Amino acid sequence: MAYTEEELKKELETKEYEYGFYTDIEAETFPNGLNEDIVRAISKKKEEPEWMTEWRLEAFRAWEKMEEPEWANVTYKKPSFQDISYYSAPKKKPEYESLDEVDPELLETFKKLGISIEEQKKLAGVAVDVVMDSVSVATTFKKTLAEKGIIFCSISEAIKEHPELVKKYIGTVVPQRDNFYAALNSAVFSDGSFCYIPKGVRCPMELSTYFRINQAGTGQFERTLVVADEGSYVSYLEGCTAPQRDENQLHAAVVELIALDDAEIKYSTVQNWFPGDKEGKGGVFNFVTKRGLCEKNAKISWTQVETGSAVTWKYPSCILKGDNSIGEFYSIAVTNNYQQADTGTKMIHIGKNTRSTIISKGISAGKSQNSYRGLVQVNRGAENARNFSQCDSLLMGNLCGAHTFPYIEAKNKTAQIEHEATTSKIGEDQIFYCNQRGIDTEKAIALIVNGFSKEVLNKLPMEFAVEAQKLLEISLEGSVG
Amino acid sequence: MDLKEKLVSSFMAFEGQIDVDAPVHEIRSEAIKVFEQKGFPTKKEESWKYTSLNALLKNDYTVFPKEESALQFQDVKKYFLHEIDSYKIVFVDGIYSSYLSETSHEGLDVCLMSAALSKPKYRLIIDNYFNKIAPKDDGLTALNTAFSREGAFINIPKGKVVEKPIQILHFSTGKESALMLQPRNLVVVGENAHVQIIERHQSLTENPVLTNSVTEIHANRNSIVDYYKIQNDAQTASLIDNTYIAQKKHSHASVHTFSLGGNITRNNLNFYHLDERIDSTLKGITIIGDKQHVDHSTLVHHAQPNCESHQDYKGIYADKSTGVFNGKVLVDKIAQKTNAFQQNNNILIDDRAVINTKPQLEIFADDVKCSHGCTIGQLDEEALFYLQSRGIPSKEARALLMYGFANNVLASVKIDEVKKRIKKLIAMKLNVNIGFEL
């Protein structure tokens, strides 16, 4: 990376993230509500081929018959799906080669976000596919990637330009009728990212997408599809920000990862949607389906830092189908005030000699509820499957809760599974020690929390790690009793 | 007619056999309504995700055994802990067998639920303790409550240390082609009192038996309760055991469950803490094979500060057997300084064996020490090789290692005879004779 840590810190400091802002871009918004016509209209709007429209309709019909799941350890007022507008796109669809052509207001938003496209282009070597209210408006570094044969574009573009790839892989890992929110997403997804790494190619840079919800009343339904062909490698970063507003916003994304033989995908997320204010008013509902499929000798690694959203419902999973495949899950989930998080992972061992590691750190403060829910499943044929899980929870204050729901199912006698979980609080002696050395209590807590989360933070790419550390501090501000 | 309908309709017949003016009858009538509404649990319910009762509910069970069956002590002696002196409460096909029993009213009450429910002198105890901790909204427990008539009633007064253990045995003779039993036990342990109880269910034939048992245990201040459940039933016998324990200040309660046989065994074990400085122990050994199914579902509800709980369950699963462990530790907001420990270790011996485990923590207090650990693995090949290289045959070596694996649980058994009996059963189960005491 060309970035030095100092520069990054500086940039992150100016990244006024904590408060919401709202950019007034003329947007074209569909009327509220959802029916077959809306699905057709979205598809038409995106100039999609017939098979895609049919695919969406199939999902919509399945969704109509489904009921919203209630098993998660969260309580919230269910969104009314007929009061949401399912499509909103910046009207002036810019098709530009240089940044000068971009709507200046949009650039202003980026500046607030601290993305600074020019700088990133020059310094970080990160190609950014910025999704602004559902339509991809800026894609950089496409040319460099194209030289390697890497396809990195918005999913609607991919549907138009690489239909064979999309058709082959979309819905193979997360089928349309997988669950309530996945079905909804399949029916109405407006945009998202598509990434294809050809055989044997090692992606030279971290691919990154910034998502933003911008138009009042529009839910964001992103669809991400990452395909790593045989022997390839890609590291993908996903970061989320959302402006502050009153009514709850719905975010139901679907992420599908496909790692073919010997491929490796590293998927890192920093999620910091607006969590609601101190009274628990507002905030984003984050109901995400993320799943990856590993073929022979493939590896998928999920790393996530969850600090935002009023309600999080998210279980990045790995299906270890091929022999010798590896699945990893590293997660930090921080909840404060009235936030609720029910998050974890699923590791499905199907192939022989498959391995999985789960490290989950939950930090709850304020009046929040933080749950880990995980499944480790070893199927009959998965000989010598190996799993290690560790779930640690840290409680701050006596009004919050930490919960662990690990499901472990073993059907093969050669399986080796370990699971351990602890719950603890920050020791008074630890804080006293810091105070004694002139570190105030708030800083001391940040320090201890960072130490607690270190195992996961270490797995993040460098830019994200710095950002994530900052996020942890911001999220826990004011939680010192 | 399915079993649920049959049970609901036979409640009327049941009312003809009992005193409907007794105050407990109101509880029964309420309970049958709950059962009518809830019915039997299905796999759709989270706590029954891994255990299906469907196969069991197909049998046409006799709900009321018609007559007392006589059993010769010699025939059933081996099921008793006959080496030591003990009180005995024995039921044959759900009916009390005075011939096999040894009850007492001297300084303590070791007697029958039917007596406690009808005699005025027990009125106060029944009013205070009967159906007080069993949840009102659980279908199976409600079913038992509705038909509650017989079972063991144990009342240990203040300061009494019961000098010998109490054995509760349920035999089924197979006189009926299929039998459903619903024993209801109540154990009240007074302040500073100490009691040891051993419970066993045994079917003597191949005819299917389904037992839906409910036991309520009240451990008052400073009392010590030691409860052992020996489950080594016939392949056709199934057991749903619901045990509810309410503990008061400074009390110690421990339940050891040895699940070594039976068709489907479900242990619902629930501890409730009513005051501070309580100690709870839940331990279990499960060694099963064939198509057996054992499900341990535990709950420790830490509702008060400064309490401790220890859970340790070991399982060895062979053939096509299935093991389930669903442990739940709930720590309330006010239960600061709680120390909860939960451990579940499993070994799968054969390819078709399955283990599903879910050690669950729900914590609302911040100053607590809660941990759980769970493993699934195999016997250590190197340890096996070590033993074999010293001349111990493979089978015995495996058995030795399994003993070692389960020994943590055995170590806390306080009655030597129980310990010996369990070791013998384990040796039988593993089909070895090691030839020396472990």
Coordinates of all heavy atoms in Angstrom, one line a residue, chain B residues 356-419:
Chain B
N356 N -25.8 -33.7 18.1 CA -26.2 -32.3 17.9 C -26.1 -31.6 19.2 O -26.7 -32.0 20.2 CB -27.7 -32.2 17.4 CG -27.9 -32.9 16.1 OD1 -27.1 -32.7 15.1 ND2 -28.8 -33.8 16.0
T357 N -25.3 -30.6 19.2 CA -25.2 -29.9 20.5 C -25.3 -28.4 20.4 O -25.0 -27.8 19.4 CB -23.9 -30.3 21.2 OG1 -23.5 -29.4 22.2 CG2 -22.7 -30.4 20.2
K358 N -25.9 -27.8 21.4 CA -26.2 -26.4 21.4 C -26.0 -25.8 22.8 O -26.9 -25.8 23.6 CB -27.6 -26.2 20.9 CG -27.9 -24.7 20.6 CD -29.4 -24.6 20.2 CE -29.9 -23.3 20.5 NZ -31.4 -23.4 20.7
P359 N -24.8 -25.5 23.2 CA -24.6 -24.9 24.5 C -24.9 -23.5 24.4 O -24.2 -22.7 23.7 CB -23.1 -25.2 24.8 CG -22.5 -25.4 23.5 CD -23.5 -25.7 22.4
Q360 N -25.8 -23.0 25.1 CA -26.4 -21.7 24.9 C -26.2 -20.8 26.1 O -26.5 -21.2 27.3 CB -27.8 -21.9 24.6 CG -28.6 -20.7 24.1 CD -30.0 -21.1 23.8 OE1 -30.3 -22.2 23.3 NE2 -30.9 -20.2 24.0
L361 N -25.8 -19.6 25.9 CA -25.6 -18.6 27.0 C -26.5 -17.4 26.8 O -26.5 -16.9 25.7 CB -24.2 -18.1 27.2 CG -23.1 -19.1 27.5 CD1 -21.8 -18.4 27.5 CD2 -23.3 -19.7 28.9
E362 N -27.3 -17.0 27.8 CA -28.0 -15.8 27.6 C -27.8 -14.9 28.9 O -28.2 -15.3 30.0 CB -29.5 -16.0 27.5 CG -29.9 -16.6 26.1 CD -31.3 -16.4 25.8 OE1 -31.9 -15.3 26.0 OE2 -31.9 -17.4 25.4
I363 N -27.0 -13.9 28.7 CA -26.5 -13.2 29.8 C -26.9 -11.7 29.8 O -26.7 -11.0 28.8 CB -25.0 -13.3 29.8 CG1 -24.6 -14.8 30.1 CG2 -24.4 -12.5 30.9 CD1 -23.3 -15.2 29.7
F364 N -27.5 -11.3 30.9 CA -27.9 -9.9 31.0 C -27.2 -9.1 32.1 O -27.5 -7.9 32.4 CB -29.4 -9.8 31.3 CG -30.3 -10.3 30.2 CD1 -30.7 -11.7 30.1 CD2 -30.6 -9.5 29.1 CE1 -31.4 -12.2 29.1 CE2 -31.4 -10.0 28.1 CZ -31.8 -11.3 28.0
A365 N -26.3 -9.8 32.8 CA -25.5 -9.1 33.9 C -24.1 -8.9 33.4 O -23.6 -9.8 32.7 CB -25.6 -9.9 35.1
D366 N -23.4 -7.9 33.9 CA -22.1 -7.7 33.4 C -21.0 -8.3 34.2 O -19.9 -8.6 33.7 CB -21.8 -6.2 33.1 CG -21.8 -5.4 34.3 OD1 -22.5 -5.8 35.3 OD2 -21.3 -4.3 34.3
D367 N -21.2 -8.4 35.5 CA -20.1 -8.8 36.4 C -20.2 -10.3 36.6 O -20.5 -10.8 37.7 CB -20.1 -8.1 37.7 CG -18.8 -8.3 38.5 OD1 -17.9 -9.0 37.9 OD2 -18.7 -7.8 39.6
V368 N -20.0 -11.1 35.6 CA -20.3 -12.5 35.7 C -19.1 -13.3 35.1 O -18.4 -12.8 34.3 CB -21.5 -13.0 35.0 CG1 -22.7 -12.4 35.6 CG2 -21.5 -12.7 33.5
K369 N -18.9 -14.5 35.5 CA -18.0 -15.4 34.8 C -18.8 -16.5 34.3 O -19.3 -17.4 35.0 CB -16.9 -15.9 35.8 CG -15.7 -15.0 35.9 CD -14.5 -15.8 36.3 CE -14.6 -16.4 37.7 NZ -13.4 -16.6 38.4
C370 N -18.9 -16.5 33.0 CA -19.7 -17.6 32.3 C -18.8 -18.2 31.2 O -18.3 -17.4 30.4 CB -21.0 -17.1 31.7 SG -22.1 -16.6 32.9
S371 N -18.8 -19.5 31.2 CA -18.0 -20.0 30.1 C -18.7 -21.3 29.6 O -19.4 -22.0 30.4 CB -16.6 -20.3 30.5 OG -16.5 -21.3 31.5
H372 N -18.6 -21.6 28.4 CA -19.0 -23.0 28.0 C -18.0 -23.5 27.0 O -17.3 -22.8 26.3 CB -20.4 -23.0 27.5 CG -20.7 -22.4 26.2 ND1 -21.9 -22.2 25.7 CD2 -19.8 -21.8 25.3 CE1 -21.8 -21.6 24.5 NE2 -20.6 -21.4 24.3
G373 N -17.9 -24.8 27.0 CA -17.0 -25.5 26.1 C -17.7 -26.7 25.6 O -18.5 -27.3 26.2
C374 N -17.3 -27.0 24.3 CA -18.0 -28.1 23.7 C -17.0 -28.7 22.7 O -16.4 -28.1 22.0 CB -19.2 -27.6 23.0 SG -19.9 -28.7 21.8
T375 N -16.9 -30.0 22.8 CA -16.0 -30.7 21.8 C -16.7 -31.9 21.2 O -17.5 -32.5 21.9 CB -14.7 -31.1 22.4 OG1 -15.0 -32.1 23.5 CG2 -13.9 -30.0 23.0
I376 N -16.3 -32.2 20.0 CA -16.7 -33.5 19.4 C -15.4 -34.1 18.8 O -14.7 -33.4 18.1 CB -17.7 -33.3 18.3 CG1 -19.0 -32.7 18.9 CG2 -18.0 -34.6 17.6 CD1 -20.0 -32.2 17.8
G377 N -15.1 -35.3 19.2 CA -13.8 -35.8 18.7 C -13.8 -37.3 18.8 O -14.8 -38.0 18.9
Q378 N -12.6 -37.9 18.7 CA -12.4 -39.3 18.8 C -11.5 -39.6 19.9 O -10.9 -38.8 20.5 CB -11.8 -39.8 17.5 CG -12.7 -39.7 16.3 CD -12.7 -38.2 15.8 OE1 -11.6 -37.6 15.7 NE2 -13.8 -37.7 15.6
L379 N -11.3 -40.9 20.2 CA -10.3 -41.4 21.1 C -8.9 -41.1 20.5 O -8.7 -41.2 19.3 CB -10.4 -42.8 21.4 CG -11.7 -43.2 22.1 CD1 -11.8 -44.7 22.2 CD2 -11.9 -42.6 23.4
D380 N -8.0 -40.7 21.4 CA -6.7 -40.3 20.9 C -5.9 -41.6 20.4 O -5.7 -42.5 21.2 CB -6.0 -39.7 22.1 CG -4.6 -39.2 21.7 OD1 -4.2 -39.4 20.6 OD2 -4.0 -38.5 22.5
E381 N -5.6 -41.6 19.1 CA -4.9 -42.8 18.6 C -3.6 -43.1 19.2 O -3.2 -44.2 19.4 CB -4.7 -42.6 17.1 CG -6.0 -42.6 16.2 CD -6.7 -43.9 16.2 OE1 -6.0 -45.0 16.3 OE2 -7.9 -43.9 16.2
E382 N -2.9 -42.0 19.6 CA -1.6 -42.2 20.3 C -1.8 -42.8 21.6 O -1.0 -43.7 22.0 CB -0.9 -40.9 20.4 CG -0.3 -40.5 19.0 CD 0.5 -39.2 19.1 OE1 1.0 -38.8 20.2 OE2 0.5 -38.5 18.1
A383 N -2.8 -42.4 22.4 CA -3.0 -43.0 23.7 C -3.4 -44.5 23.5 O -2.9 -45.3 24.3 CB -4.1 -42.2 24.4
L384 N -4.2 -44.8 22.5 CA -4.5 -46.2 22.2 C -3.3 -47.0 21.9 O -3.1 -48.1 22.5 CB -5.5 -46.2 21.0 CG -7.0 -46.2 21.3 CD1 -7.7 -46.3 19.9 CD2 -7.4 -47.4 22.2
F385 N -2.4 -46.4 21.1 CA -1.2 -47.1 20.7 C -0.3 -47.4 22.0 O 0.2 -48.4 22.1 CB -0.4 -46.3 19.7 CG 0.9 -46.9 19.3 CD1 0.9 -48.0 18.5 CD2 2.0 -46.4 19.8 CE1 2.1 -48.6 18.1 CE2 3.3 -47.0 19.5 CZ 3.3 -48.1 18.6
Y386 N -0.3 -46.3 22.8 CA 0.5 -46.5 24.0 C 0.0 -47.6 24.9 O 0.8 -48.5 25.3 CB 0.4 -45.2 24.8 CG 1.1 -45.2 26.1 CD1 2.5 -44.8 26.2 CD2 0.5 -45.6 27.3 CE1 3.2 -44.8 27.4 CE2 1.2 -45.6 28.5 CZ 2.5 -45.2 28.6 OH 3.2 -45.2 29.7
L387 N -1.3 -47.7 25.1 CA -1.8 -48.8 25.9 C -1.6 -50.1 25.2 O -1.2 -51.1 25.9 CB -3.3 -48.6 26.1 CG -3.6 -47.4 27.0 CD1 -5.1 -47.1 27.0 CD2 -3.2 -47.7 28.5
Q388 N -1.8 -50.2 23.9 CA -1.6 -51.4 23.2 C -0.2 -51.9 23.2 O 0.1 -53.1 23.4 CB -2.1 -51.3 21.7 CG -3.6 -51.4 21.6 CD -4.0 -51.2 20.2 OE1 -4.3 -50.1 19.7 NE2 -4.2 -52.3 19.5
S389 N 0.7 -50.9 23.2 CA 2.2 -51.3 23.2 C 2.5 -51.9 24.5 O 3.6 -52.5 24.7 CB 3.0 -50.1 22.8 OG 3.0 -49.2 23.9
R390 N 1.7 -51.6 25.5 CA 2.0 -52.2 26.9 C 1.1 -53.4 27.1 O 0.9 -53.8 28.3 CB 1.7 -51.1 27.9 CG 3.0 -50.4 28.2 CD 2.8 -48.9 28.4 NE 4.1 -48.3 28.5 CZ 4.7 -47.8 27.4 NH1 4.2 -48.0 26.2 NH2 5.9 -47.2 27.5
G391 N 0.6 -54.0 26.1 CA 0.0 -55.3 26.2 C -1.5 -55.3 26.5 O -2.1 -56.3 26.8
I392 N -2.1 -54.1 26.4 CA -3.6 -54.1 26.7 C -4.3 -54.2 25.3 O -4.0 -53.4 24.4 CB -4.0 -52.8 27.4 CG1 -3.3 -52.7 28.7 CG2 -5.5 -52.7 27.6 CD1 -3.3 -51.4 29.5
P393 N -5.1 -55.2 25.2 CA -5.8 -55.4 23.8 C -6.6 -54.1 23.5 O -7.0 -53.4 24.3 CB -6.7 -56.6 24.1 CG -6.3 -57.2 25.3 CD -5.6 -56.2 26.1
S394 N -6.8 -54.0 22.2 CA -7.4 -52.8 21.6 C -8.8 -52.5 22.3 O -9.0 -51.4 22.7 CB -7.6 -53.0 20.1 OG -8.6 -52.2 19.6
K395 N -9.6 -53.5 22.4 CA -10.9 -53.3 23.0 C -10.8 -52.8 24.4 O -11.5 -51.8 24.7 CB -11.7 -54.6 22.9 CG -13.2 -54.4 23.0 CD -14.0 -55.6 22.7 CE -14.2 -56.4 24.0 NZ -15.0 -57.6 23.8
E396 N -10.0 -53.4 25.2 CA -9.9 -53.0 26.6 C -9.3 -51.6 26.6 O -9.6 -50.7 27.5 CB -9.0 -54.0 27.4 CG -9.8 -55.1 28.0 CD -10.2 -56.1 26.9 OE1 -9.7 -56.1 25.8 OE2 -11.1 -56.9 27.2
A397 N -8.3 -51.3 25.8 CA -7.7 -50.0 25.8 C -8.7 -48.9 25.5 O -8.7 -47.9 26.1 CB -6.5 -50.0 24.7
R398 N -9.5 -49.2 24.5 CA -10.6 -48.2 24.2 C -11.5 -48.0 25.4 O -11.8 -46.9 25.7 CB -11.4 -48.7 23.0 CG -10.7 -48.9 21.7 CD -11.6 -49.4 20.6 NE -12.2 -48.2 20.0 CZ -11.6 -47.6 19.0 NH1 -10.4 -48.0 18.5 NH2 -12.1 -46.6 18.4
A399 N -11.8 -49.1 26.0 CA -12.7 -49.0 27.2 C -12.1 -48.2 28.3 O -12.7 -47.3 28.9 CB -13.1 -50.4 27.7
L400 N -10.8 -48.4 28.5 CA -10.1 -47.7 29.5 C -10.1 -46.2 29.2 O -10.4 -45.4 30.1 CB -8.6 -48.1 29.5 CG -8.2 -49.2 30.5 CD1 -6.7 -49.5 30.4 CD2 -8.5 -48.7 32.0
L401 N -9.9 -45.9 28.0 CA -9.9 -44.4 27.6 C -11.3 -43.8 27.8 O -11.4 -42.7 28.2 CB -9.4 -44.3 26.2 CG -7.9 -44.5 25.9 CD1 -7.6 -44.3 24.4 CD2 -7.1 -43.6 26.7
M402 N -12.3 -44.6 27.5 CA -13.6 -44.1 27.6 C -14.0 -43.9 29.1 O -14.6 -43.0 29.5 CB -14.6 -45.1 27.0 CG -14.6 -45.0 25.5 SD -15.9 -45.9 24.8 CE -15.2 -46.6 23.4
Y403 N -13.5 -44.9 29.9 CA -13.7 -44.7 31.4 C -13.1 -43.4 31.8 O -13.6 -42.6 32.6 CB -12.9 -45.8 32.1 CG -13.8 -46.9 32.5 CD1 -13.6 -48.2 32.1 CD2 -14.9 -46.7 33.4 CE1 -14.4 -49.3 32.4 CE2 -15.7 -47.8 33.8 CZ -15.4 -49.1 33.3 OH -16.2 -50.1 33.7
G404 N -11.9 -43.2 31.4 CA -11.1 -41.9 31.7 C -11.9 -40.7 31.3 O -12.0 -39.7 32.1
F405 N -12.5 -40.8 30.1 CA -13.3 -39.7 29.5 C -14.5 -39.4 30.4 O -14.8 -38.2 30.7 CB -13.7 -40.1 28.1 CG -14.6 -39.2 27.4 CD1 -14.2 -38.0 26.9 CD2 -16.0 -39.5 27.3 CE1 -15.0 -37.1 26.3 CE2 -16.8 -38.7 26.6 CZ -16.4 -37.5 26.1
A406 N -15.1 -40.4 30.9 CA -16.4 -40.2 31.7 C -16.1 -40.0 33.2 O -17.0 -39.7 33.9 CB -17.3 -41.4 31.5
N407 N -14.9 -40.2 33.6 CA -14.6 -40.3 35.0 C -14.8 -39.0 35.8 O -15.2 -39.0 36.9 CB -13.1 -40.7 35.2 CG -12.9 -41.4 36.6 OD1 -13.9 -42.1 37.0 ND2 -11.8 -41.2 37.2
N408 N -14.7 -37.9 35.1 CA -14.9 -36.6 35.7 C -16.3 -36.5 36.3 O -16.5 -35.9 37.4 CB -14.8 -35.5 34.7 CG -13.6 -34.7 34.7 OD1 -12.7 -35.0 35.6 ND2 -13.4 -33.8 33.8
V409 N -17.2 -37.1 35.6 CA -18.6 -37.1 36.1 C -18.8 -38.0 37.3 O -19.4 -37.7 38.3 CB -19.6 -37.4 34.9 CG1 -21.0 -37.6 35.5 CG2 -19.5 -36.4 33.9
L410 N -18.2 -39.2 37.1 CA -18.3 -40.2 38.2 C -17.7 -39.7 39.5 O -18.1 -40.1 40.6 CB -17.6 -41.5 37.7 CG -18.5 -42.5 36.9 CD1 -17.7 -43.7 36.6 CD2 -19.7 -42.9 37.7
A411 N -16.6 -38.9 39.4 CA -15.9 -38.5 40.5 C -16.8 -37.8 41.6 O -16.5 -37.9 42.8 CB -14.7 -37.6 40.1
S412 N -17.8 -37.1 41.1 CA -18.6 -36.3 42.0 C -19.8 -37.1 42.5 O -20.6 -36.6 43.3 CB -19.0 -35.0 41.4 OG -19.8 -35.3 40.2
V413 N -19.9 -38.4 42.2 CA -21.0 -39.2 42.7 C -20.7 -39.5 44.2 O -19.6 -40.0 44.5 CB -21.1 -40.5 41.9 CG1 -22.1 -41.5 42.5 CG2 -21.6 -40.2 40.5
K414 N -21.6 -39.3 45.1 CA -21.3 -39.4 46.5 C -21.6 -40.8 47.1 O -21.2 -41.1 48.2 CB -22.0 -38.3 47.3 CG -21.4 -36.9 46.9 CD -21.7 -35.9 47.9 CE -21.3 -34.5 47.5 NZ -22.3 -34.0 46.4
I415 N -22.5 -41.5 46.4 CA -22.8 -42.9 46.9 C -21.9 -43.9 46.2 O -22.0 -44.1 45.0 CB -24.3 -43.2 46.7 CG1 -25.2 -42.1 47.2 CG2 -24.7 -44.5 47.3 CD1 -26.7 -42.2 46.9
D416 N -21.1 -44.6 47.0 CA -20.2 -45.5 46.4 C -20.8 -46.6 45.6 O -20.4 -47.0 44.5 CB -19.3 -46.1 47.5 CG -18.1 -45.2 47.9 OD1 -17.9 -44.3 47.1 OD2 -17.5 -45.5 48.9
E417 N -22.0 -47.1 46.1 CA -22.7 -48.2 45.5 C -23.2 -47.7 44.1 O -23.1 -48.5 43.1 CB -23.9 -48.6 46.3 CG -23.5 -49.3 47.6 CD -22.5 -50.5 47.3 OE1 -22.7 -51.2 46.4 OE2 -21.6 -50.6 48.1
V418 N -23.6 -46.5 44.0 CA -24.0 -46.0 42.7 C -22.9 -45.9 41.7 O -22.9 -46.3 40.6 CB -24.7 -44.5 42.9 CG1 -24.9 -43.9 41.5 CG2 -25.9 -44.6 43.7
K419 N -21.8 -45.5 42.3 CA -20.6 -45.4 41.4 C -20.2 -46.7 40.9 O -19.9 -46.9 39.7 CB -19.4 -44.8 42.3 CG -18.5 -43.9 41.5 CD -17.3 -43.5 42.4 CE -17.5 -42.2 43.1 NZ -16.4 -41.7 43.8

